[in-house]
Amino acid sequence: MSNQKVLECLEQNVDGLEIIQNLMRYDDPLVYGDLMLEIDIDHFEGYEALLPVMLLSTGDAVIERTCKRLLLQLYSEKLQEIGGRQIVEYVKDILLEEQARWEKHLGRLRKLRKQNKI
């Protein structure tokens, strides 16, 4: 699967992203030094799409600050590219999608609780 396809899948399936994040946090949390070593080895060649997952899957302060800077930089670039009104609509659409997905998830949990499975 190409990097672009991986990113598209994760973008459309935040639950899957969260599962991957939880698996990555399990034993040994990713820290700045580990990430820099991975980057220096091969620059994530061939699996660049996993870098954002790794950035989002850590509790390391430096990496978290990097994520915030990246978000702001990418948002700024997109704002320049498509304009203010369109980016606000884009954010609104994502918020609505995530709200619907969250409500659906909560509905499944309520149903399982009702059936005494949780």
Side-chain angles (χ1 to χ4, degrees):
M1 182 180 291
S2 73
N3 278 311
Q4 188 61 35
K5 289 287 184 194
V6 170
L7 286 175
E8 288 171 7
C9 288
L10 292 174
E11 179 184 330
Q12 296 303 315
N13 184 3
V14 175
D15 292 332
L17 172 64
E18 289 174 352
I19 290 168
I20 292 170
Q21 288 176 303
N22 288 334
L23 290 173
M24 291 178 68
R25 290 183 186 135
Y26 180 66
D27 283 331
D28 199 14
L30 180 70
V31 294
Y32 169 79
D34 297 337
L35 183 59
M36 291 303 289
L37 181 62
E38 288 290 327
I39 290 171
D40 288 341
I41 289 173
D42 62 5
H43 287 72
F44 286 86
E45 187 174 340
Y47 57 103
E48 296 88 351
L50 291 180
L51 183 55
V53 175
M54 295 178 83
L55 291 172
L56 292 168
S57 304
T58 183
D60 185 273
V62 173
I63 296 174
E64 286 178 352
R65 289 174 56 89
T66 300
C67 286
K68 290 175 184 176
R69 282 187 59 196
L70 281 170
L71 171 65
L72 293 170
Q73 288 174 357
L74 294 172
Y75 184 91
S76 180
E77 288 173 13
K78 193 72 166 174
L79 177 64
Q80 293 297 317
E81 179 185 327
I82 66 174
R85 184 145 185 95
Q86 284 183 307
I87 194 131
V88 170
E89 285 298 316
Y90 179 70
V91 170
K92 177 184 171 186
D93 290 345
I94 292 173
L95 283 166
L96 290 169
E97 287 174 16
E98 288 306 318
Q99 174 65 22
R101 288 178 181 173
W102 182 249
E103 289 297 325
K104 186 176 179 180
H105 175 74
L106 289 177
R108 286 192 307 262
L109 288 176
R110 287 184 196 111
K111 185 177 177 181
L112 287 172
R113 279 193 193 114
K114 206 173 201 181
Q115 297 171 352
N116 293 322
K117 292 189 176 180
I118 286 188

